[in-house]
């Protein structure tokens, strides 16, 4: 079958059935557009390649359960949100670094101290990504944006005890994971 002439809807149907050739055609048809779109948001080509690859990988992994009506719109949205998440992650990292150095601006920090702090922040962020998204969001709102459990509860429409529970779990796990840093 010549997949170059097959419409997107038919490719999606074949993809749902696990047809690797249909997936290959989807990739070839859309990767460049997705790459260029992501590159307009993030200037690092390696990161952009990784983002686009992840989007296509998730499409393949979720092929049996994904409910995609418009393939191109789905891919554009997926890449857009992946770029946003990457940018947010970078901002969180910067906030961690600035928070780590807050109150120490009057003191000169050596390059080693800065590298150690950055390494710590990378490790915190890496560990934090292993938690469910809700727990990550609660932790960031509480620890980085200094929101109270009551404010988080109201903002996220979850009970205050649930907010407290998420914070306790994340803090406990981070303490254990990062004990060698302190």
């Amino acid at each position: 079958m010549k997949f170059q002439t097959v419409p997107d809807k038919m490719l999606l149907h074949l993809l749902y059935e696990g047809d690797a050739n249909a997936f290959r055609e989807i990739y070839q048809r859309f990767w460049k557009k997705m790459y260029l779109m992501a590159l307009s948001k993030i200037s690092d080509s390696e990161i952009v390649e990784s983002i686009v690859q992840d989007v296509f990988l998730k499409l393949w992994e979720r092929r049996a359960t994904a409910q995609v009506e418009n393939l191109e719109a789905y891919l554009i949205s997926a890449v857009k949100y992946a770029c946003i998440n990457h940018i947010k992650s970078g901002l969180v990292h910067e906030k961690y670094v600035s928070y780590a150095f807050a109150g120490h601006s009057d003191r000169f920090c050596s390059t080693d101290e800065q590298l150690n702090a950055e390494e710590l922040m990378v490790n915190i962020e890496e560990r934090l990504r292993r938690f469910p998204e809700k727990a990550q969001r609660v932790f960031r709102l509480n620890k980085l944006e200094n929101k109270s459990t009551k404010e988080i509860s109201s903002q996220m429409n979850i009970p205050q005890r649930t907010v407290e529970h998420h914070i306790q779990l994340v803090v406990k796990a981070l303490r254990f994971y990062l004990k060698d840093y302190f």
Side-chain angles (χ1 to χ4, degrees):
M1 177 184 274
K2 277 216 162 209
F3 285 96
Q4 294 86 354
T5 59
V6 174
D8 291 352
K9 289 252 185 214
M10 182 63 164
L11 284 175
L12 272 172
H13 178 71
L14 293 168
L15 176 69
Y16 293 152
E17 294 176 354
D19 190 321
N21 290 321
F23 176 75
R24 189 173 297 113
E25 176 59 28
I26 291 169
Y27 181 84
Q28 290 173 349
R29 197 175 285 186
F30 292 105
W31 80 266
K32 188 172 186 177
K33 184 173 187 171
M34 301 304 108
Y35 176 83
L36 292 173
M37 187 188 76
L39 196 58
S40 72
K41 310 279 184 229
I42 300 170
S43 59
D44 187 327
S45 62
E46 287 182 18
I47 291 171
V48 168
E49 283 179 21
S50 176
I51 286 172
V52 173
Q53 293 293 336
D54 285 347
V55 166
F56 281 106
L57 178 63
K58 286 178 185 168
L59 176 65
W60 176 255
E61 289 174 342
R62 298 175 182 163
R63 68 189 176 276
T65 58
Q67 294 185 6
V68 179
E69 293 294 320
N70 181 329
L71 182 58
E72 186 172 6
Y74 171 83
L75 291 171
I76 287 171
S77 293
V79 168
K80 180 177 87 172
Y81 286 115
C83 288
I84 289 169
N85 288 337
H86 173 77
I87 292 167
K88 275 185 183 178
S89 176
L91 293 174
V92 167
H93 173 74
E94 287 176 24
K95 279 188 177 185
Y96 276 133
V97 170
S98 18
Y99 180 77
F101 289 113
H104 302 292
S105 58
D106 57 337
R107 175 185 108 168
F108 175 77
C109 292
S110 72
T111 303
D112 283 342
E113 287 174 322
Q114 287 177 344
L115 289 174
N116 288 339
E118 286 184 20
E119 180 185 338
L120 173 62
M121 296 309 135
V122 167
N123 283 323
I124 289 172
E125 183 59 33
E126 177 185 315
R127 185 63 183 182
L128 192 56
R129 280 193 210 111
R130 295 179 184 177
F131 287 95
E133 189 158 328
K134 187 183 283 186
Q136 290 180 42
R137 187 167 175 225
V138 166
F139 179 81
R140 286 186 175 110
L141 286 170
N142 182 256
K143 300 300 180 188
L144 297 178
E145 296 182 24
N146 297 319
K147 295 200 182 236
S148 70
T149 55
K150 187 175 182 178
E151 290 172 312
I152 297 168
S153 170
S154 173
Q155 181 177 338
M156 293 180 65
N157 280 336
I158 56 176
Q160 194 169 343
R161 291 288 300 146
T162 303
V163 171
E164 293 166 358
H165 177 71
H166 283 302
I167 292 169
Q168 288 171 351
L169 283 176
V170 173
V171 168
K172 183 178 179 182
L174 287 177
R175 276 191 190 134
F176 177 77
Y177 179 71
L178 301 169
K179 69 180 180 281
D180 295 335
Y181 284 92
F182 303 107

